[in-house]
């Protein structure tokens, strides 16, 4: 698993390449904690190169989403591969995590919500 990040338009964009499973999910959790500037940050996960996500990785993303939502932020997943999207569908995680086709779409959604003063839906 390879992780990178950048800050852009009121969000932290995190790119995940490779697999997130029981051996790497703790690294993802630590990384999210390190790069998040504040608990109310919107996190955009660029998942275009995320080839596999198991239940431990999903738990990390859901915990980040719950924390962000409690503070007025959210977790957005962009560019999901079909295999990863299927895991989110089966588990019902799409209720807590917003999904977008591309990072730019997620950034636009965050910007629109901020301009309108709309809180992220739970």
């Amino acid at each position: 698993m390879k992780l990178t990040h950048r800050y852009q338009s009121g969000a932290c964009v995190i790119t995940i390449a490779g697999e997130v499973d029981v051996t790497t999910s703790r690294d993802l959790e630590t990384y999210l904690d390190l790069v998040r500037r504040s608990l109310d940050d919107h996190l955009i996960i660029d998942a275009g190169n995320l080839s596999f996500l198991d239940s431990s990785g999903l738990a990390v993303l859901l915990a980040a989403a719950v924390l962000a939502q409690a503070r007025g932020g959210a977790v957005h997943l962009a560019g999901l591969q079909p295999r990863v999207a299927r895991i989110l569908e089966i588990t019902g995680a799409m209720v807590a995590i917003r999904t977008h086709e591309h990072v730019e779409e997620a950034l636009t959604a965050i910007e629109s919500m901020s301009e309108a003063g709309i809180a992220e839906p739970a």
Side-chain angles (χ1 to χ4, degrees):
M1 174 183 69
K2 180 179 178 189
L3 301 165
T4 59
H5 72 281
R6 68 185 187 279
Y7 301 105
Q8 188 173 343
S9 301
C12 180
V13 180
I14 299 162
T15 301
I16 304 174
E19 299 182 355
V20 178
D21 58 24
V22 70
T23 62
T24 59
S25 61
R26 181 63 121 185
D27 295 336
L28 175 60
E29 182 177 30
T30 300
Y31 192 81
L32 293 178
D33 290 341
L34 289 173
V35 300
R36 178 181 277 169
R37 293 177 291 189
S38 68
L39 296 178
D40 62 348
D41 267 355
H42 286 277
L43 300 178
I44 299 174
I45 308 296
D46 181 351
N49 291 314
L50 175 61
S51 58
F52 179 78
L53 179 73
D54 77 356
S55 60
S56 65
L58 181 59
V60 169
L61 295 178
L62 288 172
V66 168
L67 181 60
Q69 287 173 358
R71 307 285 189 183
V75 172
H76 303 256
L77 291 178
L80 291 173
Q81 298 296 317
R83 185 179 197 186
V84 175
R86 183 72 179 133
I87 295 295
L88 295 174
E89 289 172 25
I90 291 170
T91 61
M94 287 189 172
V95 172
I97 299 172
R98 297 179 64 104
T99 60
H100 306 276
E101 290 293 319
H102 307 284
V103 170
E104 294 75 21
E105 182 181 302
L107 288 166
T108 300
I110 291 167
E111 185 177 312
S112 295
M113 290 168 41
S114 296
E115 287 174 358
I118 299 171
E120 184 73 26

